[in-house]
Amino acid sequence: MSEMSEFSNPRRQAATEHDDSSVTALSERPIRIVLVGTSHPGNIGAVARAMKTMRLSALRLVTPKVFPHADATAMASGADDLLARAEVFDRLSDAIADCGLVLGASARLRSLRWPQMEPPEAAQRALEESAQHPVAFVFGRERTGLTNDELALCHGLVHIPANPEYSSLNLAMSVQVMSYELLMTSRAALPLRENATREVATAEEMDYFYSHLEQVMIDSGFLDPAAPKHLMKRLRRLYGRARPDRQELNILRGILSAVEKQRNNT
Ligand code: SAH
């Protein structure tokens, strides 16, 4: 690399001003890579390799078609320790239950308005928030990506800019791009934003809240369970944008309990 290009790349410059401790930091962060419904075990191995080269280690698999498999081990090529430690789940909601920030990687720009970002912004947010709670990056199936229901469990979408007429990267390559971005961002200084000091509710806590809300809406006659339309999805999007912290979520649940109590007394 010529000197010229070193100096023209601000991230590279920032990194040279830091000792190695900022690099090690990434491996200590609770950042999980979650693969949903992967068909080709070779891709799982290639993802493990992509992660390990970029100092990530927590791999979670949701209903992989076949795993473990010799193709996964072969493609991991020395990153098989990540495969050995990979956790397997039946449902995406379980795989992300302990996470306070969940970002879904999507090859397409979706019509529904989830907050969309590109890898640098996603990496910045993930690193800031991982100081407070685990963060998940969710990747979809090779053929069909993530379903709308799965995307509804995400706080935002990451899209890797690509040829608009051919925008779908191989699964492991998209993990590589995102992981590289995380490594590069972790090497630069990380100014803490206000967001990073908030104790945001985890996905599991939000799920309890949504069930509670749905129940109160049904009991009060606001929501007809026979014709729910997209109400819950819309409300999830609304509260997902607000990213309530624990205390705020307690207030919301307190209101719901008060409404329930009132109804039971009348
Ligand atoms: N045909 C599928 C693409 C699946 S590729 C679709 O249109 O959704 C498998 C996974 O790799 C995707 O679910 C996504 O998580 C990731 N991926 C592929 N290309 C991507 C891109 N340009 N940006 C972000 N993620 C991408």
Side-chain angles (χ1 to χ4, degrees):
M1 192 188 282
S2 74
E3 268 191 44
M4 189 61 197
S5 62
E6 288 222 0
F7 283 110
S8 60
N9 182 340
R11 288 198 303 197
R12 176 89 194 107
Q13 237 178 326
T16 56
E17 286 159 16
H18 288 82
D19 60 25
D20 232 29
S21 59
S22 61
V23 179
T24 348
L26 183 58
S27 56
E28 282 152 22
R29 305 252 181 187
I31 297 179
R32 297 96 157 87
I33 299 293
V34 181
L35 308 182
V36 180
T38 312
S39 313
H40 298 292
N43 275 336
I44 299 177
V47 163
R49 182 177 185 172
M51 289 170 64
K52 189 166 178 178
T53 53
M54 299 294 119
R55 291 179 171 263
L56 291 172
S57 59
L59 176 60
R60 292 185 169 183
L61 307 172
V62 180
T63 58
K65 203 164 167 199
V66 267
F67 184 80
H69 190 277
D71 288 353
T73 312
M75 288 299 279
S77 155
D80 38 1
D81 51 325
L82 269 68
L83 295 181
R85 275 185 285 125
E87 297 169 276
V88 181
F89 296 83
D90 285 335
R91 297 186 324 179
L92 175 58
S93 57
D94 293 334
I96 58 165
D98 61 347
C99 297
L101 176 67
V102 180
L103 299 175
S106 175
R108 286 168 285 161
L109 295 168
R110 306 278 172 154
S111 52
L112 276 172
R113 298 250 169 83
W114 276 278
Q116 308 240 348
M117 59 196 101
E118 293 182 359
E121 187 192 345
Q124 185 72 25
R125 280 188 64 178
L127 285 161
E128 284 169 359
E129 296 203 20
S130 64
Q132 301 298 319
H133 45 245
V135 172
F137 282 92
V138 183
F139 294 81
R141 299 161 189 80
E142 290 93 334
R143 276 182 172 280
T144 52
L146 294 165
T147 65
N148 280 345
D149 284 346
E150 287 159 353
L151 288 170
L153 298 175
C154 301
H155 297 111
L157 299 191
V158 192
H159 176 69
I160 300 165
N163 177 353
E165 279 144 37
Y166 191 72
S167 65
S168 170
L169 279 72
N170 163 270
L171 172 61
M173 297 196 185
S174 59
V175 173
Q176 184 79 69
V177 171
M178 192 58 239
S179 307
Y180 171 76
E181 206 61 59
L182 284 163
L183 182 71
M184 291 307 279
T185 308
S186 76
R187 296 171 83 200
L190 287 174
L192 286 178
R193 276 202 310 221
E194 185 252 339
N195 232 355
T197 57
R198 294 172 61 220
E199 255 199 72
V200 299
T202 63
E204 189 177 31
E205 289 163 344
M206 289 305 294
D207 266 346
Y208 284 127
F209 164 66
Y210 292 128
S211 311
H212 196 171
L213 179 62
E214 189 172 17
Q215 196 54 52
V216 170
M217 289 194 302
I218 291 171
D219 292 347
S220 64
F222 183 78
L223 171 63
D224 176 2
K229 302 230 177 78
H230 295 302
L231 186 60
M232 281 318 296
K233 218 169 258 174
R234 295 228 154 92
L235 287 170
R236 274 181 179 268
R237 224 158 53 218
L238 168 66
Y239 285 105
R241 272 204 307 275
R243 313 275 323 283
D245 61 32
R246 290 234 164 88
Q247 213 178 356
E248 290 163 340
L249 198 64
N250 281 339
I251 296 172
L252 291 171
R253 294 206 59 187
I255 296 171
L256 294 174
S257 300
V259 171
E260 272 177 330
K261 204 165 147 204
Q262 174 85 10
R263 277 182 53 81
N264 292 343
N265 287 344
T266 52

